[in-house]
Amino acid sequence: MNDPLTTPWGERRLTRFPEDPRERLRAWDAADEYLLRHLAESGTPMPPGTVAVAGDRWGALTASLAPHRPVVQIADSSLGQRATRANLARAGVDEDAVRLLTTRDAPPERIDVLLVRVPKSLALLEDQLHRLAPSVHPGTLVVGAGMVKEIHTSTLRLFERIIGPTRTSHAVRKARLVLATVDPDLPRTPSPWPYRYELPADAARVAGRPVVNHAGVFCADRLDVGTRFFLRHLPEGLDGRRVVDLGCGNGVVGLAVALTDPGAELVLTDESHQAVASAEETFRANGLAGSGATFLTGDGLADFAPASVDVVLCNPPFHSHQATSDLAARRMFAGARRALRPGGELRVVANRHLGHHVTLRRVFGNCETVAGDPKFAVLRAVRA
């Protein structure tokens, strides 16, 4: 959408990444707008020094503040940071003027203003507050922001326990602020993440194997039912073939391939830094650090050469933050068709109601159902 974000310093035209004229979701929301207005109009000036922005989804906060203050952005999504770069350029800000850190990087040693876009995952918020807490000080201004449906009592308790006394603002246009005061006497405890568990006995090919999950990765404390179904219907005989676990999450699907077909050339990729770190640690926990598997953070299959892959395995997402969207799945399918060699296959597990079989027929010209139950279907499309 082309609606500009109105800030106290002027309008910002922002886009998501990838830009898609069919996508009706904006690159900002009322929580971003509310937070920026609060910073300019609260009557309490921002202290000088470093502004750290955690969880800035598409760069709306970073692109709005960077022309005025030194900003460090800390984000999990590689796509979100690509959007940030584009939005900085659109605002006329030199990219070198902003430090773009991932959630896996060490945070700044000192933070004078900490702005937090409350993430969908409470675990990711917990992990990030633990990691950032040693960098704040009694003079640090701490403000969180989110839509009302994203901020719960548990959210406020995390700020209270890790940062200090916390209150909320009035709701404005269904958005709310979290206002925290740094308590220097709170104990600085390490994050409880990552979390490790063993896969259940009915997890085909990987039963009893350890899995490592960093905070924010989908279904962090158990095997999700879609992946459990997918594991029973993976292709066989993959030795010698180049296989991509697309949207790999914690790497369970790739792990199943590595154990069953150790001769496969395996690539695990995800747009989330937390997910790719989880997949790497899952492989290490299973003694597969030297298996030859490759782990990539990025935009799906966009960086793969055409006709360079034999098999793509995918459990695609159907949410973009809080919004339901099939844009990611459509891009994954189109990217798979481009990357697959003739005769190569894309195999997908998905909720039946999403209707991915229609999209796959449109993209590939074919689609068959490998297996199904009342909730899920495993679909197969072949590159002609």
Side-chain angles (χ1 to χ4, degrees):
M1 295 181 72
N2 294 319
D3 296 348
L5 167 63
T6 300
T7 80
W9 308 281
E11 292 187 344
R12 291 281 180 265
R13 291 204 171 270
L14 307 166
T15 60
R16 295 183 170 218
F17 182 89
E19 294 185 43
D20 187 329
R22 298 168 296 177
E23 179 58 68
R24 303 307 300 164
L25 298 174
R26 292 185 305 202
W28 59 275
D29 62 16
D32 296 312
E33 196 172 38
Y34 192 2
L35 175 54
L36 292 169
R37 191 169 63 253
H38 171 79
L39 294 175
E41 301 174 1
S42 67
T44 303
M46 284 197 295
T50 298
V51 178
V53 183
D56 191 8
R57 294 173 182 179
W58 304 104
L61 299 175
T62 302
S64 298
L65 293 169
H68 314 284
R69 295 288 298 274
V71 176
V72 179
Q73 186 199 70
I74 303 165
D76 177 43
S77 169
S78 60
L79 302 189
Q81 291 205 315
R82 290 184 70 167
T84 297
R85 291 187 179 95
N87 289 324
L88 287 170
R90 193 174 288 110
V93 178
D94 187 338
E95 182 183 319
D96 293 338
V98 176
R99 290 177 62 195
L100 299 179
L101 301 181
T102 78
T103 47
R104 307 307 312 147
D105 293 325
E109 291 186 3
R110 178 185 172 94
I111 296 173
D112 302 290
V113 178
L114 175 59
L115 308 177
V116 181
R117 266 309 310 251
V118 174
K120 181 178 179 180
S121 165
L122 193 66
L124 182 58
L125 176 63
E126 177 185 36
D127 181 61
Q128 288 304 291
L129 290 180
H130 273 295
R131 288 168 60 85
L132 294 166
S135 301
V136 302
H137 55 86
T140 301
L141 175 68
V142 181
V143 186
M147 302 306 290
V148 169
K149 63 184 178 182
E150 298 170 330
I151 297 176
H152 311 285
T153 301
S154 54
T155 311
L156 306 180
R157 285 175 180 163
L158 280 181
F159 276 91
E160 290 253 357
R161 177 164 58 84
I162 302 171
I163 300 298
T166 299
R167 61 186 177 87
T168 58
S169 71
H170 295 297
V172 176
R173 293 178 55 209
K174 300 183 179 179
R176 195 182 295 277
L177 301 181
V178 177
L179 308 169
T181 302
V182 175
D183 181 352
D185 295 325
L186 283 178
R188 299 303 181 203
T189 57
S191 171
W193 297 89
Y195 179 74
R196 175 172 169 153
Y197 69 92
E198 289 187 355
L199 290 162
D202 63 348
R205 307 188 187 198
V206 290
R209 291 282 181 166
V211 175
V212 180
N213 281 277
H214 283 281
V217 178
F218 177 64
C219 238
D221 59 351
R222 65 194 183 282
L223 180 65
D224 70 279
V225 289
T227 299
R228 188 190 304 255
F229 187 66
F230 200 23
L231 289 170
R232 299 203 299 268
H233 302 287
L234 295 177
E236 299 179 351
L238 298 178
D239 276 341
R241 307 181 76 187
R242 192 178 193 210
V243 181
V244 178
D245 181 357
L246 176 60
C248 64
N250 58 23
V252 169
V253 171
L255 175 65
V257 173
L259 294 172
T260 306
D261 296 286
E265 181 187 348
L266 185 59
V267 183
L268 297 91
T269 181
D270 203 292
E271 67 97 19
S272 160
H273 296 283
Q274 298 284 99
V276 173
S278 299
E280 288 190 84
E281 293 193 32
T282 292
F283 269 56
R284 281 198 292 272
N286 283 277
L288 296 172
S291 66
T294 301
F295 302 86
L296 301 174
T297 306
D299 182 16
L301 294 161
D303 295 327
F304 286 66
S308 64
V309 173
D310 297 297
V311 176
V312 176
L313 307 173
C314 185
N315 183 356
F318 58 94
H319 287 93
S320 178
H321 300 291
Q322 294 287 352
T324 300
S325 172
D326 68 345
L327 176 61
R330 286 190 275 116
R331 292 195 76 249
M332 285 175 159
F333 300 162
R337 185 184 182 281
R338 187 189 65 84
L340 283 167
R341 297 184 176 104
E345 75 165 272
L346 166 65
R347 192 167 294 202
V348 173
V349 65
N351 292 75
R352 283 185 173 276
H353 73 271
L354 296 174
H356 284 330
H357 60 287
V358 176
T359 305
L360 288 170
R361 288 195 186 101
R362 186 183 310 122
V363 173
F364 282 83
N366 65 86
C367 177
E368 65 174 290
T369 301
V370 174
D373 68 9
K375 186 171 184 180
F376 294 100
V378 174
L379 307 173
R380 178 178 184 263
V382 178
R383 173 77 160 89

